[in-house]
Amino acid sequence: MLPNTTWGTIPGENSGGGSSTITSTVPRSGNGSVEMFGDRTRYSLGNYYNPASNLGLLSTVLGISFDWLVAANSSGAYNSDQTPALRLHIYDNGRRSELIWEGVYNGTYGNTSRDTWYTTTFNDLFYQFVSGSGVTLQNGSQVNQTVQDWKNSYSANAYVSAISVGVGSGFSNAYHAFADNVVLGRTSGTTTYNFEAAVVAVPEPASIALLGAGLLGLGLVRRRRAKIAV
């Protein structure tokens, strides 16, 4: 189980050759972002398969958004404008579900460019996937609503078990995209998750000089000891 405070991948979730990890390839802000290759990838905060993973009550959530970019070299099985997905994972009295943002339901197709960052809003539309039931339909059509509207279909006990960014199933291994700055708005305030690549510490010039002097001194001592020992 992933701790609630840790972003990462749940074993077995990046299937079909897909991968998702923080890199410095195309940073949005800071020095990194989540780089994703399809097919089917997930990079999450919390563990959406474990009911004990609890990020707080759904009733306190005002909205969720993120930054996304599709790489110029990306290709997929569905549409040239297919986007990565943002998911809010929820448990409600033992029932697991997801509220999912995808660009196709938010007017991005035909209106975006490759290698360009875009930002979603709290007013964007999400569809619902319920474990064991599938996508929520009304009169045979998929229901697309804001997070605020979806909250009305949950009980007061519903809570967020995880947040994830990723790529949908069937996108093909050639799909390539990035995500950054996941923003979760609550009644208590807003939290932004900015993905930063690990930085390797480089010694300062003064430190390098001191290290060199220390090694030189050690060499002199060793030579002196060698002469004394002869």
Side-chain angles (χ1 to χ4, degrees), residues 8-9 12 17 24 45 49 52 58-59 61 84 87 89 114-115 120 123 146 154 159 168 175-176 183 217 222:
T9 58
S24 59
L45 172 70
Y49 289 129
L58 177 62
S59 61
V61 175
R87 288 175 167 85
H89 301 267
R114 298 295 182 90
D115 279 344
T120 68
N123 293 321
T146 66
Y154 289 88
Y159 60 90
Y175 188 77
H176 186 195
V183 179
R222 284 180 175 174

Side-chain angles (χ1 to χ4, degrees), residues 2-207:
L2 288 171
N4 287 345
T5 56
T6 302
W7 282 86
T9 58
I10 298 174
E13 283 300 272
N14 291 340
S15 60
S19 66
S20 56
T21 187
I22 297 175
T23 70
S24 59
T25 307
V26 184
R28 169 58 160 164
S29 55
N31 70 351
S33 61
V34 178
E35 184 170 14
M36 300 168 285
F37 292 93
D39 176 77
R40 195 185 191 284
T41 65
R42 302 285 187 274
Y43 200 77
S44 67
L45 172 70
N47 187 330
Y48 37 86
Y49 289 129
N50 192 326
S53 178
N54 189 335
L55 302 182
L57 289 173
L58 177 62
S59 61
T60 68
V61 175
L62 299 177
I64 186 170
S65 65
F66 78 135
D67 297 338
W68 60 272
L69 174 149
V70 177
N73 65 353
S74 177
S75 64
Y78 299 132
N79 188 289
S80 60
D81 290 328
Q82 61 200 43
T83 66
L86 172 66
R87 288 175 167 85
L88 193 65
H89 301 267
I90 300 163
Y91 271 97
D92 188 9
N93 294 317
R95 184 188 70 168
R96 182 169 65 85
S97 65
E98 305 174 11
L99 299 181
I100 306 168
W101 181 96
E102 288 183 353
V104 61
Y105 309 113
N106 286 279
T108 64
Y109 279 25
N111 296 306
T112 59
S113 302
R114 298 295 182 90
D115 279 344
T116 302
W117 282 103
Y118 294 93
T119 303
T120 68
T121 75
F122 287 2
N123 293 321
D124 278 12
L125 304 179
F126 291 69
Y127 67 93
Q128 184 189 57
F129 178 88
V130 180
S131 179
S133 301
V135 175
T136 299
L137 305 176
Q138 185 175 36
N139 297 324
S141 298
Q142 177 177 298
V143 179
N144 301 307
Q145 302 182 130
T146 66
V147 170
Q148 284 295 305
D149 288 335
W150 276 116
K151 285 166 56 176
N152 296 326
S153 64
Y154 289 88
S155 76
N157 299 321
Y159 60 90
V160 177
S161 62
I163 302 166
S164 71
V165 293
V167 177
S169 299
F171 272 38
S172 87
N173 293 340
Y175 188 77
H176 186 195
F178 298 83
D180 203 2
N181 295 323
V182 175
V183 179
L184 179 65
R186 294 184 182 276
T187 54
S188 59
T190 300
T191 302
T192 299
Y193 299 98
N194 173 235
F195 303 107
E196 294 291 85
V199 178
V200 178
V202 178
E204 295 290 335
S207 299

